[in-house]
Amino acid sequence: MSGIALIICFLMAITLMIMAISKWKIHPFISIIGASLLLAIVAGLPLETIPATIGKGFSSIFASIGLVIIFGMFIGLILERTGAAVRLANAVLRVVGPRHPQLAMLLIGWIVSIPVFCDSGFVIVNPIRRSLAQKTGVSSVSLTVALSAGLYVSHVFIPPTPGPIAAAGMVGLENNLMLVIAVGVLVSLFALVPAYFFSMNVGKRVRSSEDDEVSGTDEYEKMLADCGELPSTAASVLPILIPVVLMGFGSVAALLPLPKGIGALAAFLGKPVIALIAGFLSAIPLLYTGGRKVSLYDICQDSLKTAGPIIFITAAGSVLGQVIVEAGFIQYIKDNAQLMSAVGVFFPFIIAAVLKSAQGSSTVAITTTAAIMGTFGASDSMMAALGMTTPFAASLIVMAIGAGAMTVSHANDSYFWVVTNFGKLKVQDGYRTQTLLTLIMGVSSIVGIFLLSLIFL
């Protein structure tokens, strides 16, 4: 099969997958594997080669980024359970000050969500948000939107959050995570700036039941009392800082004429899995500060329960990507390279946005789209067809996927319900705030990413 027929098969496979996940409520893993198998058969792959194609796509994920996702989850859950995430939020609040509450919430969310899922991050920081609203008299809705935006930006752009770290590995940047982190921080600005101004104004148009409450109990102080003695700021930031420093050291050392032994050590420590293991080891002392008795066994067990579905869905997405390669879809795109190169970063953005809006999960949208794109170094990948064959170009593709994966959050997204319920918003007001917010952030992000591609590629 070739030409337009392949395009039609691909679109049908994507449509079937979306319908299975969103309408028929079939688990994403089964939906993606099923769509991949049907696509392989309909596209005319020899039946005897299909099992090997599936195995090749599936196993590649475990070899590249499986452990990275797991140790990232370990770090995030330790920071959450020990109160270290709250300590980080406090540190930002002290720096920014109560005179800029929206900016404080935006930055707190952006930092907390780097190691912690945005859903969990909102729950963790929500008492701080409520307390700040009570103390400053600023609109509760304004602070809800600012916190939601900060959390969501890191969730889709910055490793070691599972989505972007998985996407980085799937496009061939598993050894260049520091580059992805740096580009993620830069691209964050394209989403954070409009989100800040939106949060400053939305409270004038939308009110929540919180705005009419007069509470004699400061939830923030109550939360601190429940947490007990919080770890120090230095101890709280180390599990995030150490992996970033090690990966940065490894990247810089690779460019310098260092002695062989030092260069080998730097390369070893700069590998993402080693850097994250170091971050995990630095987080373990947090479990035993302040008389706390948080079980490392329970944290590992809960982390594996959370990481497992992500890894398997990511592996299923890789199977779909492998089938697309074997079916000759990439060759057809290459034959029409001039048209596809004009689409550029908008292609993965559109795919991820469709997946996100249809089935709700940003992580599923990110990993599935990244699997479709393939690695930047492979001549038979979608990345090559788009002309994205350098590490920086690949990092922009990861960002474009992340931008699509935040466009948009609505009723089929668990985060939508976390924000509306904890922010005490009506459902219709959730669409006027959370859904509109994510549309603004997604579109502004992809415009910024496109401008970066024009300047640097």
Side-chain angles (χ1 to χ4, degrees):
M1 186 180 292
S2 61
I4 298 300
L6 266 179
I7 300 290
I8 293 173
C9 284
F10 170 69
L11 294 176
M12 289 177 62
I14 297 296
T15 302
L16 176 64
M17 181 178 64
I18 291 171
M19 291 289 290
I21 296 171
S22 60
K23 187 174 180 62
W24 303 326
K25 307 302 180 185
I26 300 174
H27 192 278
F29 176 78
I30 300 297
S31 301
I32 298 171
I33 289 290
S36 303
L37 182 59
L38 288 175
L39 177 61
I41 294 171
V42 174
L45 290 185
L47 295 179
E48 64 272 15
T49 68
I50 292 177
T53 298
I54 292 174
K56 182 179 179 181
F58 194 81
S59 62
S60 64
I61 292 304
F62 292 88
S64 59
I65 59 168
L67 285 174
V68 171
I69 292 175
I70 288 171
F71 278 100
M73 291 297 302
F74 284 168
I75 293 171
L77 200 56
I78 290 175
L79 294 182
E80 179 183 334
R81 296 276 177 89
T82 60
V86 175
R87 173 62 76 187
L88 291 174
N90 284 341
V92 175
L93 195 57
R94 285 198 304 270
V95 173
V96 177
R99 289 181 298 177
H100 307 283
Q102 290 91 347
L103 181 59
M105 283 293 96
L106 197 73
L107 294 178
I108 286 170
W110 185 72
I111 291 172
V112 167
S113 195
I114 292 174
V116 178
F117 271 116
C118 58
D119 305 63
S120 300
F122 198 98
V123 175
I124 292 168
V125 182
N126 189 56
I128 301 176
R129 179 195 64 80
R130 283 179 58 88
S131 174
L132 201 56
Q134 292 169 4
K135 289 177 179 178
T136 62
V138 171
S139 163
S140 167
V141 174
S142 179
L143 297 184
T144 295
V145 168
L147 175 59
S148 169
L151 290 162
Y152 212 24
V153 168
S154 296
H155 184 75
V156 299
F157 286 143
I158 305 177
T161 305
I165 206 171
M170 297 175 85
V171 301
L173 293 173
E174 63 273 8
N175 293 321
N176 287 277
L177 284 183
M178 192 61 210
L179 172 64
V180 180
I181 292 171
V183 176
V185 170
L186 174 62
V187 170
S188 293
L189 296 175
F190 297 118
L192 291 174
V193 171
Y196 174 71
F197 287 106
F198 180 73
S199 71
M200 293 285 287
N201 290 283
V202 71
K204 301 173 184 177
R205 304 190 304 272
V206 181
R207 290 180 63 84
S208 78
S209 59
E210 274 188 9
D211 290 316
D212 301 319
E213 290 179 0
V214 179
S215 175
T217 302
D218 190 327
E219 287 191 32
Y220 177 45
E221 299 299 331
K222 183 177 182 299
M223 179 192 66
L224 290 181
D226 292 341
C227 286
E229 183 183 346
L230 295 177
S232 68
T233 302
S236 300
V237 78
L238 271 181
I240 301 174
L241 188 61
I242 285 177
V244 172
V245 169
L246 288 179
M247 286 187 285
F249 176 55
S251 298
V252 172
L255 303 175
L256 300 176
L258 298 174
K260 185 176 181 180
I262 297 177
L265 178 62
F268 170 74
L269 294 175
K271 293 292 183 183
V273 67
I274 301 301
L276 284 167
I277 288 174
F280 167 65
L281 293 176
S282 72
I284 291 177
L286 294 172
L287 301 173
Y288 306 101
T289 58
R292 200 173 275 104
K293 294 183 179 179
V294 182
S295 168
L296 179 60
Y297 179 88
D298 290 342
I299 283 180
C300 291
Q301 190 75 357
D302 292 344
S303 296
L304 291 173
K305 287 179 182 178
T306 305
I310 294 171
I311 294 172
F312 280 101
I313 291 170
T314 302
S318 181
V319 171
L320 177 60
Q322 190 64 38
V323 169
I324 289 171
V325 170
E326 299 291 341
F329 182 78
I330 304 302
Q331 187 58 49
Y332 176 76
I333 298 299
K334 284 184 177 180
D335 293 340
N336 297 271
Q338 186 173 1
L339 174 63
M340 290 305 299
S341 62
V343 177
V345 294
F346 290 99
F347 179 81
F349 170 79
I350 292 170
I351 296 293
V354 169
L355 288 170
K356 165 63 180 177
S357 298
Q359 53 79 42
S361 169
S362 294
T363 303
V364 170
I366 289 172
T367 55
T368 305
T369 307
I372 292 171
M373 298 307 298
T375 61
F376 75 90
S379 59
D380 59 352
S381 69
M382 186 71 74
M383 299 284 281
L386 291 173
M388 299 294 181
T389 55
T390 66
F392 185 77
S395 70
L396 289 184
I397 291 295
V398 173
M399 297 302 114
I401 293 170
M406 69 164 65
T407 315
V408 292
S409 173
H410 60 96
N412 63 359
D413 179 10
S414 62
Y415 189 48
F416 175 88
W417 296 108
V418 169
V419 173
T420 53
N421 287 336
F422 280 88
K424 297 190 177 181
L425 292 164
K426 296 176 182 178
V427 175
Q428 59 267 35
D429 289 334
Y431 281 101
R432 296 171 65 192
T433 54
Q434 175 70 2
T435 303
L436 182 56
L437 168 72
T438 53
L439 175 62
I440 291 170
M441 290 196 300
V443 172
S444 61
S445 295
I446 192 58
V447 170
I449 293 164
F450 174 66
L451 292 176
L452 289 177
S453 71
L454 291 180
I455 296 170
F456 295 107
L457 298 184

